[in-house]
């Protein structure tokens, strides 16, 4: 029974993220002193799929699908990532121990005659600010070393971008900061993509003449070209730094905007005005209450922008929240909860390995097969498990890096708070999918654009419709940025616009069938909602297959294979019935959460 109880604890919301089991506001108080996909046609051999996949590492006859390049990169480097994470945590402990001993020695040397009273000396126990500054220094040093190990001399390019962004925040007139920040960082997204990370050889060619036009006596320019080539050849363990830099762009924007807003707010004095204990701040207050004016300096900025555990993939945490957690460590980060979170990550890794071992849908999709060779049921399973693998391949690195941060005393938001299959609302789905990025977009894009509010007083049907239209327009802008941020290509732009388009039915249904109008017929409303939710699920699956799995042409072929025959239409109706039943279970899960006082909004 003890093991059963432990398994129950593994899958509680408290293990995943305490933000859902703690109040969202801090009360003011005085400060204290298996489905297997087989080809429908016998002529479609396994070897046609194997061409797109790496060999299986399992010593069994079954095929192992390791053809997804993104997950393959993470999977193959898990041992090295664990080594770096362990080195980081161990080095911090040793540094803290050395720093404490060194401080004690310096204190004892200045007051050796009072050695017996050292335990009561204020210098024996450093204050909060001293510990905070000591931690920041370690973060900066370790992160810079990691940056050069990962990207070699390209770390200098990253440093230049970070420096320019910092100057935008600190040097230009305040009213120009938001526009300059967004123009610069979106420009960097395009420039990184178009210039492929600014090779040193291309920079040398731009500023120096070509070596083919040089005379024999002019060897210094030729030497410069060879020197640039040497720098490119020493690009570190991950020479394509521009691929992972998109996540850093979000942190650069967060720093600039948090600093911009801090100059027009009450600042950290709000803590004193409201008499809130800084050790008991909730997440909302850590995000919205600005850091101290002197905290917006280059050292803190650097520690935040390239913080080692979150540098490669996130999750995203705002600058204000990051500094607040470093200065006022969170009390809920205990070993028991972190161990449960780590065990849960291992179970997800096992689930992914079993899925890839027996369901090779990624390799099937990459081989661009004849979709007519599959039955409608098989086509639907190919689409469904493609999306499941996408969810798992993103969940694993995000939770790994979050686990690393938790062990280091920083609690970023959990990116996936629900299973992919436990979603029926397009709006709620995006609140729980890459949740930290969603919250970042709300804070820095959606709300500054006006959100769903229309200025001016009064209400009415016309104003309500205008509010809905503005919401849809703002969603379109948000998802356009999300698509560009992921990658600059037409496929993802189509995905972003499809998401906005597929949100429309949900918004329109909410206008036509408001919940308050059906308060006398809750069962009827639940049935109508289930029908609409089943359609929503199909829309969401279609959009994500286009954006992240098989592209527009592949999705069209898959859909034609499902609805292109009478049997396919019958299967689609049966699938919608199954989705309707599943949605009723999802409704009950959320109602149970509400009865427990949990409001996840997704």
């Amino acid at each position: 029974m003890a093991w059963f109880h432990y398994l129950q604890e593994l899958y509680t919301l408290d293990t995943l993220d305490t933000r859902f089991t703690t109040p969202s506001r801090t009360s003011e108080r005085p400060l204290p002193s298996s489905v297997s996909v087989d080809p429908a046609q016998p002529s479609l051999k396994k070897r046609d799929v194997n061409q797109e996949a790496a060999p299986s590492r399992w010593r069994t006859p079954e095929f192992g699908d390791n053809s997804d390049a993104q997950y393959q990169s993470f999977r193959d480097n898990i041992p090295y990532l664990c080594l770096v994470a362990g080195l980081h945590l161990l080095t911090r402990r040793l540094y803290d121990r050395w720093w404490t001993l060194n401080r004690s020695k310096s204190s004892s040397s200045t007051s050796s005659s009072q050695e017996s009273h050292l335990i009561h000396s204020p210098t024996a126990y450093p204050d909060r600010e001293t510990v905070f500054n000591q931690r920041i220094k370690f973060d900066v040093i370790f992160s810079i070393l990691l940056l050069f190990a990962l990207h070699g001399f390209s770390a200098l390019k990253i440093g230049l971008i970070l420096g320019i962004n910092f100057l935008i925040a600190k040097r230009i007139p305040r009213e120009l900061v938001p526009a300059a920040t967004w123009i610069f960082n979106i420009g960097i997204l395009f420039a990184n993509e178009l210039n492929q990370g600014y090779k040193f050889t291309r920079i040398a060619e731009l500023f120096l003449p070509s070596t083919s036009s040089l005379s024999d006596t002019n060897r210094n320019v030729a030497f410069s070209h060879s020197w640039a080539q040497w720098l490119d050849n020493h690009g570190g363990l991950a020479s394509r730094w521009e691929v992972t830099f998109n996540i850093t762009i979000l942190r650069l924007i967060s720093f600039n905007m948090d600093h911009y807003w801090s100059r027009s707010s009450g600042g950290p004095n709000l803590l004193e005005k409201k008499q809130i204990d800084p050790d008991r701040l909730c997440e909302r207050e850590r995000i919205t209450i600005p850091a101290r004016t002197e905290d917006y300096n280059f050292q803190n900025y650097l520690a935040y922008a390239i913080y080692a555990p979150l540098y490669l993939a996130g999750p995203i945490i705002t600058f204000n929240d990051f500094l607040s957690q470093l200065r006022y460590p969170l009390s809920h980060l205990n070993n028991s909860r972190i161990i449960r979170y780590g065990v849960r990550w291992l179970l997800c890794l096992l689930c992914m390995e079993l899925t890839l071992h027996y369901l090779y849908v990624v390799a099937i999709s990459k081989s661009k097969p004849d979709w007519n060779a599959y039955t409608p049921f098989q086509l639907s399973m190919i689409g469904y498990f493609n999306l499941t693998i996408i969810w798992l391949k993103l969940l694993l690195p995000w939770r790994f890096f979050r686990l690393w941060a938790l062990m280091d005393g920083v609690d970023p938001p959990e990116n996936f708070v629900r299973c992919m299959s436990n979603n029926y609302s397009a709006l709620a789905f995006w609140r729980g999918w890459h949740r930290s990025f969603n919250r970042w977009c709300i804070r820095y894009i959606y709300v500054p654009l006006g959100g769903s509010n229309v200025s001016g007083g009064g209400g009415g049907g016309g104003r309500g419709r205008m509010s809905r239209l503005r919401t849809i327009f703002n969603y379109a802008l948000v998802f356009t940025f999300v698509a560009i941020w992921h990658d600059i290509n037409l496929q993802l732009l189509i995905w972003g616009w499809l998401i906005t388009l597929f949100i429309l039915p949900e918004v329109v249904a909410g206008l036509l069938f408001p919940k308050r109008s059906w308060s006398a017929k809750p069962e009827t409303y639940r049935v109508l909602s289930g029908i609409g939710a089943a359609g929503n699920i199909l829309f969401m699956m279609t959009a994500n297959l286009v954006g992240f799995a098989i592209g527009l042409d592949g999705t069209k072929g898959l859909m034609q294979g499902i609805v292109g025959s009478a049997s396919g239409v019958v299967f689609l109706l049966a699938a919608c019935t199954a989705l309707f039943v599943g949605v009723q279970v999802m409704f009950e899960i959320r109602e149970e959460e509400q009865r427990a006082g949990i409001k996840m909004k997704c």
Side-chain angles (χ1 to χ4, degrees), residues 148 150-157 197-204 223-241:
F148 275 95
L150 287 173
H151 308 309
F153 289 102
S154 291
L156 300 174
K157 306 169 191 174
Y198 321 103
K199 299 292 185 183
F200 285 106
T201 50
R202 296 185 64 181
I203 296 174
F223 173 76
S224 299
H225 282 272
S226 61
W227 176 75
Q229 183 64 51
W230 183 84
L231 292 177
D232 284 332
N233 292 338
H234 292 77
L237 300 173
S239 59
R240 295 191 61 199
W241 63 272

Side-chain angles (χ1 to χ4, degrees), residues 394-414:
L394 296 175
L395 176 145
L396 286 167
W398 282 338
R399 285 195 179 173
F400 174 86
F401 291 118
R402 182 169 185 257
L403 175 63
W404 181 1
L406 290 173
M407 296 173 70
D408 194 43
V410 175
D411 184 10
E414 171 63 36

Side-chain angles (χ1 to χ4, degrees), residues 81-150:
L81 289 171
C82 291
L83 182 64
V84 173
L87 178 65
H88 171 256
L89 297 171
L90 178 61
T91 307
R92 183 185 292 284
R93 300 298 185 275
L94 294 175
Y95 176 78
D96 290 345
R97 179 69 61 86
W98 171 85
W99 182 82
T100 303
L101 292 175
N102 188 58
R103 183 179 177 85
S104 299
K105 289 180 180 179
S106 62
S107 301
S108 61
S109 63
T110 57
S111 57
S112 57
S113 60
Q114 302 176 0
E115 187 175 352
S116 59
H117 303 286
L118 181 60
I119 192 171
H120 302 293
S121 172
T123 57
Y125 295 95
D127 58 29
R128 193 190 301 272
E129 287 305 306
T130 305
V131 174
F132 170 78
N133 291 325
Q134 169 256 337
R135 178 187 171 106
I136 286 288
K137 289 177 181 177
F138 175 86
D139 285 333
V140 170
I141 294 171
F142 188 92
S143 297
I144 290 176
L145 293 176
L146 180 64
L147 204 65
F148 275 95
L150 287 173

Side-chain angles (χ1 to χ4, degrees), residues 15 37 112 124 140 151 172 174 207 214 300 335 404 407 418 443 509 512 562 568 581:
T15 296
V37 182
S112 57
V140 170
H151 308 309
I172 69 173
R174 179 181 178 275
F207 291 100
L214 297 175
N300 293 347
N335 292 335
W404 181 1
M407 296 173 70
R418 290 198 189 277
R443 174 167 171 80
L512 297 178
I562 293 177
V581 174

Side-chain angles (χ1 to χ4, degrees), residues 511-523:
L511 290 172
L512 297 178
F513 303 97
K515 188 174 183 179
R516 61 180 179 274
S517 301
W518 295 81
S519 57
K521 299 179 179 179
E523 297 301 325

Side-chain angles (χ1 to χ4, degrees), residues 115-379:
E115 187 175 352
S116 59
H117 303 286
L118 181 60
I119 192 171
H120 302 293
S121 172
T123 57
Y125 295 95
D127 58 29
R128 193 190 301 272
E129 287 305 306
T130 305
V131 174
F132 170 78
N133 291 325
Q134 169 256 337
R135 178 187 171 106
I136 286 288
K137 289 177 181 177
F138 175 86
D139 285 333
V140 170
I141 294 171
F142 188 92
S143 297
I144 290 176
L145 293 176
L146 180 64
L147 204 65
F148 275 95
L150 287 173
H151 308 309
F153 289 102
S154 291
L156 300 174
K157 306 169 191 174
I158 297 175
L160 178 61
I161 295 173
L162 266 59
I164 296 174
N165 185 77
F166 183 78
L167 291 176
I168 290 174
K170 302 291 284 188
R171 298 300 184 188
I172 69 173
R174 179 181 178 275
E175 62 273 10
L176 300 179
V177 168
T181 295
W182 281 101
I183 291 172
F184 172 74
N185 284 282
I186 292 179
I188 288 295
L189 286 176
F190 280 91
N192 287 352
E193 179 73 18
L194 296 175
N195 294 284
Q196 299 178 344
Y198 321 103
K199 299 292 185 183
F200 285 106
T201 50
R202 296 185 64 181
I203 296 174
E205 291 172 359
L206 181 64
F207 291 100
L208 298 172
S210 174
T211 55
S212 60
S213 61
L214 297 175
S215 62
D216 294 337
T217 58
N218 196 0
R219 297 295 184 184
N220 57 332
V221 177
F223 173 76
S224 299
H225 282 272
S226 61
W227 176 75
Q229 183 64 51
W230 183 84
L231 292 177
D232 284 332
N233 292 338
H234 292 77
L237 300 173
S239 59
R240 295 191 61 199
W241 63 272
E242 71 277 8
V243 175
T244 57
F245 191 72
N246 287 13
I247 202 82
T248 306
I249 289 288
L250 303 182
R251 289 189 282 267
L252 303 190
I253 295 173
S254 175
F255 174 84
N256 283 21
M257 296 306 298
D258 282 2
H259 177 250
Y260 168 77
W261 287 323
S262 72
R263 295 160 70 180
S264 60
S265 67
N269 293 329
L270 290 174
L271 294 175
E272 299 177 3
K273 292 178 181 178
K274 294 185 176 183
Q275 292 190 329
I276 298 176
D277 183 357
D279 288 307
R280 296 169 56 87
L281 292 175
C282 70
E283 185 191 31
R284 179 178 298 178
E285 289 162 339
R286 294 197 307 267
I287 292 173
T288 56
I289 296 178
R292 303 172 184 177
T293 303
E294 61 270 18
D295 282 341
Y296 295 94
N297 57 59
F298 189 74
Q299 179 177 261
N300 293 347
Y301 165 72
L302 204 59
Y304 166 69
I306 57 175
Y307 177 57
L310 306 181
Y311 169 71
L312 287 174
I316 308 300
I317 185 172
T318 67
F319 178 80
N320 287 344
D321 192 4
F322 178 76
L323 244 61
S324 177
Q325 291 193 36
L326 295 192
R327 179 170 278 118
Y328 310 110
L330 304 179
S331 58
H332 66 259
L333 291 182
N334 55 66
N335 292 335
S336 175
R337 180 176 287 112
I338 294 173
I339 290 172
R340 293 201 306 269
Y341 189 84
V343 172
R344 190 163 172 173
W345 179 83
L346 289 173
L347 292 175
C348 291
L349 179 63
L350 176 62
C351 178
M352 180 62 154
E353 289 299 310
L354 289 174
T355 302
L356 292 177
H357 187 54
Y358 292 107
L359 303 175
Y360 36 96
V361 294
V362 177
I364 290 174
S365 302
K366 286 180 176 293
S367 65
K368 298 181 180 179
D370 178 10
W371 298 111
N372 294 322
Y374 298 89
T375 65
F377 174 73
Q378 289 172 327
L379 289 172

